[in-house]
Amino acid sequence: MDKLVVHGGASLDGPLTVGGSKNTALPLMAAAVLADGTSRITKVPDLRDVRTFSNVIRVAGPAVTFDDDAHTLTIDASTVDHPVAPYELVKKMRASFYMLGALMGRCGEAKVSLPGGCAWGPRPVDLHIKGMEAFGADIELEEGYVIASAPGGRLDGGSFRLEPSSVGATINLLLGAVRAEGASRIENAAQEPDVVAFGEALQSMGAQIDGLGTDTIEIQGVDRLDPISVRNTPDRIELGTFMLMAATAGTPGTPVEIREGAHEHLGQNFKDKFAETGVDVNYEPETVTVTRPETLRPVSIETAPYPGFPTDLQAQWTVLLGLADGTATATDTIYDDRFKHVPELQRLGMDISVDGNTATVHGGAPIKGAQVMSTDLRASVSLVMAGMVADGTTHVLRVYHLDRGYEHLEGKLQAAGIDIERQEYEEFEGDPAGTPA
Ligand code: UD1
């Protein structure tokens, strides 16, 4: 297994370059399954999740090739003759469940495994299933699989309200509705930039969609869709993560440049809260420059759907609070129990307590290097962040979580001045925390 070894105290000088968005690339890949022909997606990040989803798509019949140097993915979906997404693959990544909508849209039938559990709490798919039923699907649950079919081979379309709003369910329902017989309506739809970029790509394939970026999306089904040729958007969570790294590990007073990001996708709440910490931040069309202040102010945040504070930046924000001058809280209203990073950050010396869905951080406690364990994607990057400012060496174990969503992170950080390396280690049976080799 791999770990990241971070020798704390080096200054993050930059520049850092943001790659393509994971959470937009995955639905774009699902969209390609809808078209009878070859689609091409550029600016696709070289990530474990992209490779996993490529395999999920291959099972259904399409040929998928990834040119990782060119960050270009080609999907030939001329043949989709096995509308199945097996447990062995779906359990690795929840977004594989997008195959439900993609296969219903393309074939009018699907057998998709229910996603495996995520380390940070129950993540149901009830809205995906109920929504698909509202659009005309017959659904049965059998041996851990969702077996869906559209009578007559095509969904009718229909109306469904998401409660709560869900990124994944909005994407799945769009995938199903764009090739339905009739019209559909998604209420309380997700407004995340990832959903908008995906919806615009569907439009470029010939889909009839109104209301993208609002809470009500209306779709008029069409008979066929053209293959897609699209450039993926920059990863807004990677941009936000780099901004927080610059605010914590930069040299006070010296700007750190972050390139090729789309800051308009961050949402206003994150930008407002970030500015309140005392950082100097300058937004240009593709470049964000962040200057760390001498003292960071403690600023409380509460996650919310876009344009609220992203839950995917909550763990990283918690690290910033550990360095701030005072006490503040981080509340997660989207995932109540997304605090698996806290015990690990405590191991590094941070003074944090969790009550319900709120972490209270008393800033200023000395952070010291230790061995810590990744538990999920965003938690793992928060541990790297803490390691960068710790006194001594931090070993972040089980970085396969991080590799799901951060492209060549250690290479990017090394080039920007951070002392970090990847090492192999063996995890022994009966030793869940692992022992460094
Ligand atoms: C997506 C993102 C993830 C991000 C999350 C919230 C991808 C691949 N992943 O995940 O990085 O953290 O949005 O911004 O894009 N819910 C239900 N029933 C359902 C579906 C969801 O109750 O059927 C609830 C969830 O438990 C959660 C809320 O809805 O409380 C939002 O989840 P959702 O937007 O669906 O998250 P994902 O699409 O899985």
Side-chain angles (χ1 to χ4, degrees), residues 22-23 26 94-95 98 122-128 164-168 192 311-312 334-335 338:
K22 169 178 85 72
N23 287 356
L26 298 172
R94 183 186 156 80
Y98 291 156
R123 297 183 66 180
V125 286
D126 55 318
L127 296 171
H128 303 237
S165 181
S166 156
V167 171
E192 268 68 3
T311 173
D312 287 348
I334 307 216
Y335 298 115
R338 204 177 200 185

Side-chain angles (χ1 to χ4, degrees), residues 18-88:
V18 177
S21 164
K22 169 178 85 72
N23 287 356
T24 306
L26 298 172
L28 291 178
M29 292 167 71
V33 175
L34 293 175
D36 180 359
T38 301
S39 293
R40 202 163 150 268
I41 311 168
T42 57
K43 203 176 168 68
V44 175
D46 183 9
L47 296 172
R48 224 162 59 95
D49 273 8
V50 166
R51 292 178 185 274
T52 301
F53 200 44
S54 299
N55 286 335
V56 175
I57 292 174
R58 283 185 187 114
V59 169
V64 185
T65 45
F66 186 40
D67 179 342
D68 49 1
D69 288 332
H71 288 102
T72 298
L73 196 68
T74 308
I75 301 178
D76 176 358
S78 306
T79 304
V80 183
D81 55 3
H82 185 62
V84 175
Y87 172 70
E88 294 69 31

Side-chain angles (χ1 to χ4, degrees), residues 28 31-32 35 39-41 178 196-209 212 222 224-231:
L28 291 178
S39 293
R40 202 163 150 268
I41 311 168
V178 285
V196 175
F198 158 71
E200 287 172 352
L202 288 174
Q203 286 171 328
S204 77
M205 296 167 80
Q208 304 284 312
I209 306 171
L212 290 171
V222 295
R224 63 178 298 278
L225 292 171
D226 295 323
I228 198 174
S229 182
V230 68
R231 184 173 164 80

Side-chain angles (χ1 to χ4, degrees), residues 15-310:
L16 287 162
T17 303
V18 177
S21 164
K22 169 178 85 72
N23 287 356
T24 306
L26 298 172
L28 291 178
M29 292 167 71
V33 175
L34 293 175
D36 180 359
T38 301
S39 293
R40 202 163 150 268
I41 311 168
T42 57
K43 203 176 168 68
V44 175
D46 183 9
L47 296 172
R48 224 162 59 95
D49 273 8
V50 166
R51 292 178 185 274
T52 301
F53 200 44
S54 299
N55 286 335
V56 175
I57 292 174
R58 283 185 187 114
V59 169
V64 185
T65 45
F66 186 40
D67 179 342
D68 49 1
D69 288 332
H71 288 102
T72 298
L73 196 68
T74 308
I75 301 178
D76 176 358
S78 306
T79 304
V80 183
D81 55 3
H82 185 62
V84 175
Y87 172 70
E88 294 69 31
L89 291 172
V90 179
K91 72 172 184 197
K92 292 187 181 172
M93 187 189 70
R94 183 186 156 80
S96 310
F97 205 62
Y98 291 156
M99 287 309 273
L100 177 64
L103 293 172
M104 287 305 286
R106 177 66 190 265
C107 310
E109 57 176 320
K111 179 179 175 186
V112 179
S113 171
L114 290 162
C118 236
W120 30 271
R123 297 183 66 180
V125 286
D126 55 318
L127 296 171
H128 303 237
I129 292 171
K130 287 179 194 150
M132 211 55 81
E133 279 176 335
F135 286 5
D138 287 336
I139 294 198
E140 283 174 46
L141 299 183
E142 254 176 46
E143 297 173 351
Y145 277 80
V146 177
I147 300 175
S149 62
R154 225 170 136 185
L155 290 169
D156 293 334
S159 187
F160 190 70
R161 181 175 176 79
L162 297 169
E163 204 61 69
S165 181
S166 156
V167 171
T170 303
I171 288 168
N172 243 336
L173 294 181
L174 269 165
L175 285 163
V178 285
R179 286 195 54 188
E181 292 271 5
S184 303
R185 186 180 162 92
I186 307 170
E187 290 175 17
N188 202 22
Q191 300 172 42
E192 268 68 3
D194 317 283
V195 177
V196 175
F198 158 71
E200 287 172 352
L202 288 174
Q203 286 171 328
S204 77
M205 296 167 80
Q208 304 284 312
I209 306 171
D210 279 327
L212 290 171
T214 75
D215 65 359
T216 305
I217 301 180
E218 290 181 308
I219 308 111
Q220 179 62 52
V222 295
D223 291 342
R224 63 178 298 278
L225 292 171
D226 295 323
I228 198 174
S229 182
V230 68
R231 184 173 164 80
N232 184 25
T233 56
D235 196 305
R236 63 198 177 99
I237 302 302
E238 189 182 24
L239 170 61
T241 302
F242 286 166
M243 289 167 66
L244 290 165
M245 287 179 168
T248 51
T251 302
T254 305
V256 177
E257 204 175 86
I258 304 163
R259 298 174 178 164
E260 296 184 29
H263 65 83
E264 64 277 14
H265 292 171
L266 285 168
Q268 197 53 45
N269 186 274
F270 175 80
K271 286 181 167 178
D272 291 346
K273 296 289 177 185
F274 192 62
E276 278 177 43
T277 65
V279 292
D280 185 18
V281 53
N282 183 34
Y283 296 106
E284 285 166 49
E286 285 199 355
T287 302
V288 180
T289 311
V290 176
T291 308
R292 179 183 157 193
E294 285 295 338
T295 306
L296 284 164
R297 284 194 287 268
V299 178
S300 296
I301 56 106
E302 186 171 306
T303 68
Y306 188 82
F309 192 100

